[in-house]
């Protein structure tokens, strides 16, 4: 993709022998990768490392800066700043063929776990009697 191209929802990518892929093919979530709720939309985020993770999941996945086209809806699926939209126009290519190192994956996993804990504690605090 290049500047000006439209990013639209794509077809799922499945790899033979992959437990996550098998679960998603069956329309089920997997513990390490929940099923995407809005498969007819694309997701965008302001968190570059979170975006790099998802770009790295695709064969030769690229990371783009984009301008949303259509209504931008906040996503409640995760605890990073994320929205879904019908499509987006490529503003620029940030990184081609994204591959994460194990160190980058561990760092993101720690951030992800911390974000999940913060949300869990906030929900607990809001439901506790004063």
């Amino acid at each position: 993709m290049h500047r000006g191209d439209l990013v639209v929802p794509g077809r799922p990518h499945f790899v033979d022998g992959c437990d996550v892929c098998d679960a998603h093919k069956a329309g089920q979530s997997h513990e390490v990768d929940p099923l995407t709720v809005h498969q007819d939309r694309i997701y965008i985020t302001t968190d570059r490392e979170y975006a790099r993770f998802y770009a790295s999941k695709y064969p030769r996945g690229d990371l783009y800066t984009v301008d949303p086209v259509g209504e931008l809806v906040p996503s409640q699926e995760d605890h990073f700043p994320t929205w879904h939209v019908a499509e987006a126009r490529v503003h620029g290519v940030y990184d081609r063929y994204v591959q994460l190192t194990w160190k980058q994956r561990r760092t993101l996993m720690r951030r992800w776990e911390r974000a999940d804990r913060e949300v869990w504690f906030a929900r607990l605090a809001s439901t506790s009697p004063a």
Side-chain angles (χ1 to χ4, degrees), residues 11-124:
R11 294 186 314 265
H13 299 276
F14 299 120
V15 176
D16 291 336
C18 166
D19 291 343
V20 173
C21 298
D22 292 342
H24 288 188
K25 273 192 234 178
Q28 302 169 351
S29 285
H30 187 277
E31 64 183 328
V32 298
D33 191 10
L35 193 61
T36 301
V37 174
H38 302 281
Q39 295 182 18
D40 60 334
R41 297 176 64 84
I42 64 163
Y43 288 77
I44 61 176
T45 182
T46 55
D47 189 296
R48 186 175 299 145
E49 292 310 306
Y50 183 63
R52 285 176 52 77
F53 168 73
Y54 278 96
S56 75
K57 290 176 56 174
Y58 287 89
R60 299 188 183 275
D62 297 331
L63 182 61
Y64 306 105
T65 56
V66 298
D67 296 316
V69 176
E71 181 185 7
L72 197 59
V73 179
S75 173
Q76 301 302 313
E77 295 176 56
D78 48 42
H79 303 125
F80 286 94
T82 311
W83 299 263
H84 55 87
V85 65
E87 57 190 22
R89 189 161 308 280
V90 174
H91 181 72
V93 179
Y94 183 79
D95 198 1
R96 292 271 186 207
Y97 190 28
V98 176
Q99 293 183 310
L100 297 183
T101 65
W102 283 109
K103 180 179 179 182
Q104 289 170 316
R105 289 179 188 278
R106 285 190 303 272
T107 299
L108 180 60
M109 184 56 73
R110 283 192 296 273
R111 286 186 57 220
W112 208 318
E113 290 169 347
R114 187 171 46 250
D116 287 348
R117 276 193 310 275
E118 288 171 2
V119 169
W120 185 83
F121 282 120
R123 285 182 184 154
L124 182 63

